């Protein structure tokens, strides 16, 4: 109960900071910052939409981690300029994205693997590989998005790094740390499927997701 209150309090604190940031941006007539911050607030409410509209229940730990990631990457990173102020911020955020997307990819194929309507059973190795490739693929799509935003709107989403004005070094470092984060999750997920009962954080989150969404899991494991 105490942990639940702490998680809820931390999430609401981050959302309150975002709201204050949006109001200050409106007060200072920084309209782009205001719109961006409001969009970030809406992103933090996405798990609530999933729960109420689609009856998909997200484990609170993962929900908090997703909120922290959105806050750190979009609000602190883009709006407050942390990517420029701290050289390591981009690396930390992309490592976190590798973790998050790896978990999403793992849960996605794990749900499909448990459906009776799908008449084949994927091996633990394939599930882990899919989670890794899903996270890395999403990272590549994000880098393509950054490239086109820089080219079309003259932004600086691909930050200059190590004296490379083209942004190539930044892109490669981002993809490398994406891969590292995704690999960690894939290895933990593989271990979970091979030996259910271990107690890493990923195993606990998967167990919580399965318990909260029994309609997705009709096969007996």
């Amino acid at each position: 109960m105490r942990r639940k209150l702490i998680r809820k309090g931390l999430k609401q604190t981050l959302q309150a900071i975002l709201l204050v940031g949006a109001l200050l941006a409106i007060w200072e007539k920084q309209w782009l910052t205001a719109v961006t911050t409001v969009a970030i607030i809406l992103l933090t409410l996405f798990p609530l939409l999933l729960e109420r509209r689609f009856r998909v229940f997200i484990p609170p730990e993962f929900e908090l981690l997703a909120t922290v990631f959105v806050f750190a990457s979009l609000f602190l990173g883009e709006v407050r300029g942390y990517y420029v102020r701290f050289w390591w911020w981009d690396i930390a955020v992309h490592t976190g994205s590798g973790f998050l997307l790896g978990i999403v990819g793992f849960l996605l194929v794990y749900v499909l693997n448990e459906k009776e309507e799908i008449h084949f059973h994927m091996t633990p190795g394939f599930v882990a590989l899919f989670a890794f490739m899903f996270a890395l693929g999403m990272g590549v799509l994000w880098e393509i998005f950054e490239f086109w935003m820089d080219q079309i709107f003259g932004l600086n989403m691909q930050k200059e790094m190590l004296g490379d004005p083209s942004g190539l070094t930044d892109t490669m470092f981002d993809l490398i740390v994406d891969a590292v984060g995704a690999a960690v999750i894939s290895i933990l997920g593989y271990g979970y499927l091979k030996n259910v009962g271990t107690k890493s954080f990923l195993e606990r989150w998967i167990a919580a997701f399965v318990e909260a969404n029994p309609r997705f899991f009709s096969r007996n494991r």
Side-chain angles (χ1 to χ4, degrees):
M1 185 66 180
R2 184 178 179 183
R3 290 182 178 179
K4 183 178 179 179
L5 290 175
I6 292 175
R7 288 192 296 265
K8 183 177 180 180
L10 181 55
K11 180 181 177 181
Q12 291 177 342
T13 298
L14 295 177
Q15 290 173 329
I17 293 172
L18 289 170
L19 180 59
V20 171
L23 293 175
L24 287 175
I26 293 173
W27 178 264
E28 297 172 357
K29 297 182 179 180
Q30 298 177 356
W31 306 119
L32 180 59
T33 298
V35 170
T36 302
T37 307
V38 170
I40 294 170
I41 294 173
L42 294 178
L43 279 176
T44 66
L45 297 175
F46 186 68
L48 183 62
L49 173 65
L50 285 177
E51 180 176 341
R52 293 189 175 182
R53 180 65 180 84
F54 301 102
R55 295 187 297 119
V56 177
F57 300 97
I58 308 299
E61 298 88 353
F62 183 76
E63 184 178 343
L64 176 60
L65 183 60
T67 301
V68 171
F69 173 77
V70 169
F71 182 84
S73 61
L74 297 181
F75 182 69
L76 294 181
E78 295 291 350
V79 176
R80 308 306 299 178
Y82 276 35
Y83 287 132
V84 177
R85 295 166 60 183
F86 304 105
W87 65 268
W88 48 268
W89 195 260
D90 192 40
I91 296 175
V93 166
H94 274 274
T95 303
S97 75
F99 280 113
L100 284 173
L101 292 171
I103 293 172
V104 172
F106 183 87
L107 287 176
L108 177 62
V109 72
Y110 184 73
V111 169
L112 294 176
N113 206 28
E114 295 299 314
K115 281 289 187 180
E116 287 184 342
E117 294 83 358
I118 300 177
H119 301 292
F120 62 93
H121 190 76
M122 291 167 276
T123 65
F126 179 84
V127 175
L129 178 63
F130 178 89
F132 176 78
M133 297 305 297
F134 176 85
L136 197 57
M138 294 301 294
V140 170
L141 290 177
W142 177 257
E143 295 302 323
I144 294 173
F145 170 76
E146 286 188 344
F147 172 78
W148 281 111
M149 291 297 288
D150 289 352
Q151 294 296 312
I152 296 173
F153 298 105
L155 302 179
N156 185 31
M157 297 187 73
Q158 290 181 300
K159 308 298 185 297
E160 179 179 340
M161 188 175 183
L162 300 178
D164 176 15
S166 69
L168 176 61
T169 304
D170 172 75
T171 297
M172 294 311 300
F173 267 87
D174 289 348
L175 291 177
I176 289 170
V177 295
D178 282 344
V180 170
V184 171
I185 295 300
S186 297
I187 292 170
L188 290 175
Y190 177 82
Y192 170 78
L193 292 177
K194 292 292 288 185
N195 183 25
V196 177
T198 52
K199 296 298 182 181
S200 75
F201 72 94
L202 180 61
E203 282 85 348
R204 292 194 297 269
W205 291 2
I206 293 173
F209 183 81
V210 172
E211 183 178 353
N213 300 277
R215 63 193 177 92
F216 293 141
F217 304 95
S218 51
R219 284 180 181 163
N220 293 323
R221 295 204 51 204

